[in-house]
Amino acid sequence: MNEYTGEQIQVLKGLEAVRKRPGMYIGNTSERGLHQLVYEVVDNAVDEALAGHATKIRVVLGKDGSCLVEDDGRGIPIDLHAGEKMPAVEVAMTILHAGGKFGAKGGYKVSGGLHGVGVSVVNALSERMITRVKRDGKLWEIAFERGRTTQKLKVVGKAEGTGTVQWFVPDTTVFDTLDFHWDVLQKRLRELAFLNRGLEITLRDERVEPPKERTFMYEGGIISFVEHLNDKKDPISPVISTNGEREGVSVEVAMQWADTYSETIFSFANNINTIEGGMHLLGFRTAVSNVVNSYARKRGMLKESDSSLSTDDCMEGLTAVVSVKLEEPQFEGQTKTKLGNSKVRTIVYGLVNERLDFFFEENPRHGRAIVDKCMQAARAREAAKKARDLSRRKNALDGGGLPGKLVDCTNTDPKASEIFLVEGDSAGGTAKMGRDFRTQAILPLRGKILNVWKAREDKVFANEEIRAMITALGTGIGIDFDSEKLRYHKIIIMTDADVDGSHIRTLLLTFFYQQMRALLEKGFIYIAMPPLYGVRKGKKQRYAFNEEELKAIVGDGDAKDFVVQQYKGLGEMDADQLSETTMDVDSRRLKRVAVEEGVAADEMFTTLMGDKVEPRKEFIQAYARSVKNLDL
Ligand code: 0RA
């Protein structure tokens, strides 16, 4: 008979909970959740670095599907834990939320979001996990299967120096996919290297031959981060940075204005990207706005009778990284990525205000250029508002307020309504005949729409195609934007399967990303997938969406029995064909568009849609070879 001790029962209960509802601990069990395991283990190593004890972290993806994370910190303690009757390392690995129990005091322990769930969660969701600790000249090892200890802690050899190695193989029975993605991991590890100045992080992939390896280390920290974000833009100021620590809150800020129109501010709390913002972001924005305004007044650029520049105006073309580290961060908001600690606001405000004020005084030339830029932004915003008001009034005169080109559906429930944004009037006509008039609306767009990445707002709103789209969708734009007012819960971009079609689709996605990002984030935007080939054999008509499918259809038969038609555009299909292949809910294919990574998306749009030609050339040259499917 086994006798269970109190500790063992606690372990079993904890593990059971994690394995029963993995989503509660790591978000989900698909690709995201899988990568969350790596982040969790890496975060622990980063904490050891933040405490000043580790300088290097190495992540290795093994051929056997494993992931190894090594650091040169003090090594997880191996002595007997006072409360539990097992070594401290075993407590950390098997007891839920044990991290805090013996976490380094005075460190910045993460305690919110998906991070900081504890390495025991990784252990519970791993088929096998091995922890090695180098301490006191010895190499210690302990092993687990699905969170249960299978080999007690023992000495397996000698060791030089100190450190921890975590090796784990995610559980096949838990995860939908076991495929770690280089790009995904590289992005996060690079971000961590930016956020933790001087920390060296290496990523190595041994699943490929020869193994691929990259090391990230930035002596400039977030200054390098801003330089990296701006390396394809034309800056109008140097990178202005500050850091400091007040009331236990450590603050680092770096910012630079460029000759662009969008605002790119990334904020972090304890290395977590606070997508929903919070107190640090508020403090930063208010400080920038106040300094710019008071400088503009002092220099007479703004007259007494002029109204102040809005905060948004002061942020135009600004790229910034705001990173704070504190004990007991409060994470709020829908995705727990909004920093709630109110004292952080005043602290960030004070530091940024002081530094920026000094910068403006010391660098009047840059000060003027920045204020000029903000004043231009204000004028453009004013013009845009006028254009908006005008279009509102115009629409009111039109009657129903919907654009004339829109072929609306009869249904008025947004949840059950779709709108197809169709390239060209002729395809629009075919789509109109092929649609389900109850639930499917058609908006034909003529030719290329405006590249909003390069245009100011007033131009954007003066553009007829864009105006038609905004009114059809019903959400309004800018400060008026309200995704609740969206008239269709599926917005489907339907363009030809050729270069022009891709371009138009990219222009539309750029517009949505810049002006209606919430629609992308909420998953309302889709891409229609028209077939590339029609294949007829006798009376039987089939469709192929790529080369492989074409081969599969034609492959086994005699080629002369088939009539293969390549569709160069939507216009080459008749209404029935277009309906069956691309529009009909039962037989079509759609791709939903998602914004996974704010930093990467911003970079990509700047490269592909921005002013500079050189980065675009480089991008095309770098990726042209690896393009498998030119379309999507
Ligand atoms: C608490 C105390 C000590 C080390 C650690 C935590 C530690 C944890 C992890 C997780 C990954 N790598 C790590 N490295 C160290 C050491 C206390 C001492 O030596 O006095």
Side-chain angles (χ1 to χ4, degrees), residues 382-422:
E382 196 48 43
K385 188 173 175 301
K386 284 206 183 107
R388 252 195 328 262
D389 290 349
L390 196 68
S391 77
R392 255 195 223 127
R393 244 171 286 140
K394 253 200 207 143
N395 285 330
L397 292 177
D398 280 348
L402 289 169
K405 303 195 295 177
L406 175 73
V407 184
D408 210 356
C409 52
T410 52
N411 190 322
T412 53
D413 175 15
K415 281 197 202 66
S417 306
E418 317 179 332
I419 183 168
F420 285 81
L421 307 177
V422 187

Side-chain angles (χ1 to χ4, degrees), residues 105-169:
K105 278 208 186 70
Y108 300 114
K109 277 272 149 211
V110 172
S111 72
L114 287 174
H115 300 263
V117 289
V119 71
S120 63
V121 169
V122 179
N123 193 12
L125 301 177
S126 292
E127 229 161 72
R128 288 179 66 206
M129 186 150 189
I130 298 174
T131 305
R132 293 205 174 109
V133 175
K134 291 193 279 182
R135 275 182 88 107
D136 315 320
K138 293 188 188 100
L139 181 62
W140 298 81
E141 186 184 276
I142 180 167
F144 313 88
E145 277 172 27
R146 301 196 161 96
R148 292 167 194 239
T149 310
T150 51
Q151 178 206 296
K152 286 276 177 197
L153 183 69
K154 66 177 186 192
V155 175
V156 293
K158 285 188 194 142
E160 263 175 52
T162 58
T164 303
V165 178
Q166 295 283 21
W167 178 92
F168 63 97
V169 182

Side-chain angles (χ1 to χ4, degrees), residues 41 44-45 48 71 73-77 102-104 135 164 166:
V41 179
N44 286 322
E48 183 67 0
D71 70 63
R74 291 165 297 177
I76 305 180
F102 76 128
R135 275 182 88 107
T164 303
Q166 295 283 21

Side-chain angles (χ1 to χ4, degrees), residues 331-502:
F331 289 106
E332 304 169 346
Q334 220 163 18
T335 55
K336 293 269 175 276
T337 57
K338 184 175 181 184
L339 185 67
N341 307 59
S342 56
K343 72 172 177 184
V344 174
R345 189 169 107 125
T346 0
I347 294 170
V348 173
Y349 177 88
L351 281 164
V352 173
N353 194 74
E354 205 172 279
R355 173 71 187 100
L356 201 55
D357 199 43
F358 183 74
F359 173 85
F360 274 66
E361 289 307 322
E362 292 283 295
N363 303 275
R365 197 169 54 85
H366 286 128
R368 270 188 178 273
I370 292 166
V371 172
D372 259 338
K373 163 104 179 125
C374 302
M375 288 175 68
Q376 275 173 36
R379 281 194 286 272
R381 214 174 292 274
E382 196 48 43
K385 188 173 175 301
K386 284 206 183 107
R388 252 195 328 262
D389 290 349
L390 196 68
S391 77
R392 255 195 223 127
R393 244 171 286 140
K394 253 200 207 143
N395 285 330
L397 292 177
D398 280 348
L402 289 169
K405 303 195 295 177
L406 175 73
V407 184
D408 210 356
C409 52
T410 52
N411 190 322
T412 53
D413 175 15
K415 281 197 202 66
S417 306
E418 317 179 332
I419 183 168
F420 285 81
L421 307 177
V422 187
E423 167 184 2
D425 287 334
S426 96
T430 317
K432 181 180 170 184
M433 289 189 289
R435 73 187 178 130
D436 178 340
F437 69 92
R438 290 163 302 182
T439 56
Q440 299 184 317
I442 309 292
L443 183 68
L445 298 172
R446 202 169 297 139
K448 297 261 157 102
I449 78 156
L450 184 75
N451 180 355
V452 297
W453 208 258
K454 283 199 238 177
R456 260 222 168 90
E457 277 202 329
D458 51 338
K459 275 249 183 66
V460 173
F461 299 133
N463 183 277
E464 201 183 315
E465 306 301 309
I466 287 180
R467 284 239 299 266
M469 207 154 57
I470 297 168
T471 20
L473 297 180
T475 56
I477 197 93
I479 44 165
D480 297 334
F481 179 82
D482 181 358
S483 66
E484 295 291 313
K485 294 202 184 121
L486 183 63
R487 300 178 61 243
Y488 315 90
H489 279 195
K490 283 203 174 75
I491 301 165
I492 304 169
I493 300 174
M494 186 159 76
T495 59
D496 289 344
D498 61 7
V499 187
D500 281 340
S502 299

